[in-house]
Amino acid sequence: MDHHQVHQYFLNKPEATVSQPFGEGVDVYKVKDKMFATLAKDKDMGGERSDIWRINLKCDPDEAQALRDIFPSVLPGYHMNKRLWNTVLLDGSIPQGEIERMIDNSYLLVVKKMPKKAQTSLLLHL
């Protein structure tokens, strides 16, 4: 998936919104004001911009580590709680279906922390 496809996939989630509270260049995706993902261009270690985009996704702690062990382009969450968030480099090495599954899980983890009424209204649209 490229960053355009990921952006559209995020916004196709029920009640998903995008803003840039961290400044230009970092899109933050929320559902009912709760963040479930970010999208930004990656920076290499020297601080230079690269052509690779990255997403941050919320994740179950055990699954987060398993995904890091399986995919070299899944890293501990950049500027996030490294136990609960992964950074996924959109470098073409992860199949589209797996990226979609990770996005779906991130969204659902956030929704499941909401009050029952909010959960129900969102889950009806999935």
Side-chain angles (χ1 to χ4, degrees):
M1 291 181 88
D2 67 22
H3 66 283
H4 297 294
Q5 292 169 307
V6 166
H7 170 79
Q8 195 56 53
Y9 196 81
F10 287 149
L11 290 180
N12 284 341
K13 296 289 178 201
E15 296 192 39
T17 60
V18 62
S19 62
Q20 293 186 332
F22 304 129
E24 188 175 330
V26 181
D27 289 341
V28 175
Y29 298 84
K30 296 180 179 181
V31 55
K32 294 193 179 278
D33 293 323
K34 301 291 183 189
M35 182 170 61
F36 71 92
T38 67
L39 172 66
K41 259 201 169 174
D42 196 32
K43 293 182 182 179
D44 70 15
M45 292 304 191
E48 298 294 319
R49 287 277 186 190
S50 75
D51 290 332
I52 297 174
W53 288 77
R54 63 179 156 77
I55 55 177
N56 281 342
L57 300 171
K58 193 163 189 160
C59 199
D60 169 81
D62 294 329
E63 183 179 4
Q65 187 58 55
L67 290 167
R68 293 174 202 161
D69 293 343
I70 295 167
F71 299 107
S73 57
V74 176
L75 310 167
Y78 180 72
H79 285 300
M80 307 297 273
N81 180 327
K82 311 240 183 286
R83 193 172 81 75
L84 301 174
W85 289 81
N86 275 343
T87 294
V88 180
L89 301 178
L90 300 177
D91 61 2
S93 66
I94 301 176
Q96 178 172 337
E98 182 60 26
I99 292 173
E100 290 172 350
R101 189 193 68 75
M102 287 188 265
I103 293 169
D104 294 346
N105 284 347
S106 180
Y107 181 87
L108 288 173
L109 281 170
V110 171
V111 169
K112 287 181 179 177
K113 292 281 186 177
M114 294 178 176
K116 278 287 188 210
K117 187 174 180 179
Q119 282 184 40
T120 304
S121 71
L122 290 166
L123 294 175
L124 284 173
H125 295 94
L126 290 179

